[in-house]
Amino acid sequence: MTSQQPERPKRRTFTKAYKARILAAFDALPEGSAERGALLRAERLYHSHIEHWRKQAETGTLAASTGKPVKSAEAEELARLRAENKKLKAANDKLAGELGKTRTALDIAGKAFALLQDISSSADSEKK
């Protein structure tokens, strides 16, 4: 008696046209209606599919779900600028912290100088 494990199911792939058609049909139905759920059940889809495809449509990367999504030049530029912005904000935060330390050190040095001047002037007045 040989027991064979069943083959793993193949992951479904969806064409760009199918995604666009389902998104349009889903959005045409009233929000919160039972028809939306019925559409998802009939197509064997989850709400997460709709959310993911909608996000893809907004960024312009709506493509077949296999492989890497096709990015437009604008999307790549936006991603690069966001990464650069994140680095610049981190550098700005670091420099702001260093500036605070420098200001504190200068304040302490100024107070020490004033104290030394006060001690020096009181020592000079005692000599007279």
Side-chain angles (χ1 to χ4, degrees):
M1 185 165 134
T2 62
S3 67
Q4 292 182 343
Q5 289 185 347
E7 272 190 46
R8 288 185 64 151
K10 301 288 183 206
R11 182 173 284 231
R12 294 191 303 166
T13 58
F14 306 101
T15 64
K16 185 177 181 178
Y18 176 81
K19 291 177 185 182
R21 183 175 56 81
I22 295 298
L23 273 176
F26 187 84
D27 290 339
L29 297 171
E31 191 171 332
S33 68
E35 290 89 4
R36 282 185 165 189
L39 172 66
L40 294 177
R41 283 190 300 279
E43 296 293 329
R44 296 183 1 233
L45 298 172
Y46 296 97
H47 191 264
S48 60
H49 284 109
I50 301 296
E51 291 172 347
H52 182 68
W53 296 346
R54 188 170 284 133
K55 205 174 286 185
Q56 284 180 332
E58 288 171 2
T59 61
T61 60
L62 182 63
S65 60
T66 60
K68 289 187 174 182
V70 178
K71 288 191 173 182
S72 67
E74 287 179 1
E76 288 178 6
E77 179 70 6
L78 181 61
R80 186 188 66 75
L81 290 173
R82 284 183 176 157
E84 183 180 352
N85 189 25
K86 186 177 179 181
K87 287 179 187 176
L88 290 172
K89 282 183 179 182
N92 189 29
D93 291 343
K94 180 181 175 186
L95 291 172
E98 290 176 9
L99 178 62
K101 290 176 188 176
T102 302
R103 285 183 174 159
T104 302
L106 285 172
D107 187 42
I108 292 169
K111 289 178 181 179
F113 180 74
L115 179 63
L116 288 174
Q117 271 188 327
D118 190 36
I119 292 172
S120 175
S121 63
S122 66
D124 288 342
S125 63
E126 288 178 9
K127 287 183 183 178
K128 292 182 182 181

